[in-house]
Amino acid sequence: MKAAFFNETGGPEVIQVGSIAEPVIGEKDILIGTRAVTVNPIDTYVRSGLISFDVAAPIVPGCDAAGVVEAVGAQVDSFKPGDRVWCTNQGLLGRQGTFAERIGVPQKWCHHIPDGVSFETAAANALVGITAHLGLFREAQLEPAETVFVVGGTGGVGSMVLQMARAAGATVITTARDPARAAKAVELGADHVIDYSSVDIHQQIKSLAPKGVNVYWETRRMPDFDQAIEALAPKGRMVIMAGRDSRPEFPVGPFYVKECSLHGFVMFKATAIAGKKRIARPAIFRIATGGAPSRN
């Protein structure tokens, strides 16, 4: 079968497209004929060697996929041939990735695609949707009527944070670097959009949320903790998801006096059952395909 793969880590030039052996599925696995796959930043970390896992070459990258079940193992009880499914968390922790015509995936990592959702939408919302949900609800414990600030509300994870927070009843403040992206953020449901090409982000946050924000979601590589903690309300929660090599200064005093908390996590370390199955529901895709989500 045809696949994208590499035999050793390095720059983009190490990726080859060619034929590799068909996957052999176990008793609890399903064989998926892929229809859509997506590229995420973590895929480039694996390809470059920044993140390494013990897996035999040729190494197939890719976390996300959507497709049709072609065969199932003897102990599979949740899927059958012909089912439309999506998966994420592949290409990591020793698992082969998704950039192939067919992939073998343990059933615990797979989910049915809701009716009316395309393969492209299912794949595109997989990793980013689960990341946003874990951060907002497992880590930050977002409550209705709270205020969320997310950096980059039209990016991959940022756009999902925006929509899920809005759907949960939160007021959402986000940033954009130009009018077109600002308009898109409003379309996705943002209450306030800060165009950081022309105004100071944190001065605007003070104006929009004088009592502080309850959840501050940072997507940038180098957080400014002084500004972030100043922007947080008492007992505010900050979520970080980037900056593997960053070592910014941290204002311990203001942080603990405000009784804030800091949450760093990576979605691929969540368990399949507790971390993924619970949130892999049609609501993720309704948010992503239905325009500005309702507060009701």
Side-chain angles (χ1 to χ4, degrees):
M1 69 171 182
K2 185 174 290 187
F5 61 91
F6 55 91
N7 292 304
E8 58 184 16
T9 58
E13 67 278 359
V14 303
I15 298 175
Q16 305 174 49
V17 177
S19 295
I20 64 171
E22 296 274 349
V24 177
I25 63 172
E27 292 189 339
K28 297 181 180 180
D29 300 339
I30 66 176
L31 181 69
I32 302 171
T34 57
R35 299 293 189 273
V37 298
T38 60
V39 179
N40 292 284
I42 194 169
D43 301 324
T44 68
Y45 304 156
V46 174
R47 183 264 302 152
S48 69
L50 180 63
I51 300 176
S52 62
F53 300 113
D54 186 14
V55 58
I59 301 169
V60 177
C63 291
D64 301 332
V68 177
V69 177
E70 295 187 357
V72 301
Q75 296 186 31
V76 171
D77 55 11
S78 300
F79 304 93
K80 65 183 185 304
D83 285 350
R84 300 169 69 246
V85 296
W86 65 275
C87 66
T88 187
N89 225 32
Q90 304 309 299
L92 306 165
L93 299 175
R95 294 183 289 272
Q96 285 285 18
T98 60
F99 292 7
E101 289 183 298
R102 283 171 291 282
I103 56 176
V105 182
Q107 70 167 339
K108 67 181 180 179
W109 296 113
C110 299
H111 318 280
H112 291 280
I113 299 175
D115 292 341
V117 175
S118 69
F119 292 117
E120 292 81 5
T121 294
N125 285 282
L127 183 148
V128 292
I130 285 178
T131 299
H133 198 286
L134 288 172
L136 283 174
F137 303 111
R138 187 191 70 177
E139 299 294 325
Q141 298 287 306
L142 179 66
E143 296 288 343
E146 290 191 317
T147 299
V148 174
F149 170 69
V150 55
V151 178
T154 59
V157 174
S159 64
M160 295 302 288
V161 171
L162 189 167
Q163 294 173 87
M164 288 185 186
R166 174 70 187 268
T171 296
V172 182
I173 305 169
T174 190
T175 64
R177 68 179 181 215
D178 57 52
R181 287 180 174 83
K184 183 62 177 178
V186 171
E187 179 185 336
L188 292 173
D191 294 278
H192 307 285
V193 183
I194 301 170
D195 181 349
Y196 61 84
S197 67
S198 58
V199 299
D200 180 85
I201 292 175
H202 287 85
Q203 287 298 323
Q204 287 295 104
I205 294 175
K206 288 179 182 179
S207 175
L208 296 169
K211 294 183 179 180
V213 299
N214 304 104
V215 176
Y216 188 116
W217 190 299
E218 177 63 88
T219 63
R220 294 168 294 191
R221 188 186 70 82
M222 184 66 74
D224 186 323
F225 284 114
D226 283 295
Q227 290 187 330
I229 292 166
E230 183 180 358
L232 282 169
K235 297 186 183 297
R237 291 87 73 197
M238 184 177 181
V239 179
I240 55 173
M241 50 160 283
R244 287 175 176 271
D245 59 348
S246 68
R247 296 290 188 273
E249 293 187 3
F250 190 87
V252 174
F255 178 77
Y256 82 77
V257 168
K258 273 190 171 182
E259 301 183 290
C260 295
S261 59
L262 180 64
H263 303 263
F265 75 100
V266 288
M267 63 81 65
F268 63 82
K269 290 186 177 180
T271 62
I273 302 301
K276 303 290 196 305
K277 290 289 187 182
R278 182 174 61 84
I279 64 177
R281 60 185 70 165
I284 289 179
F285 301 107
R286 286 200 299 270
I287 289 170
T289 58
S294 170
R295 292 187 180 279
N296 298 322

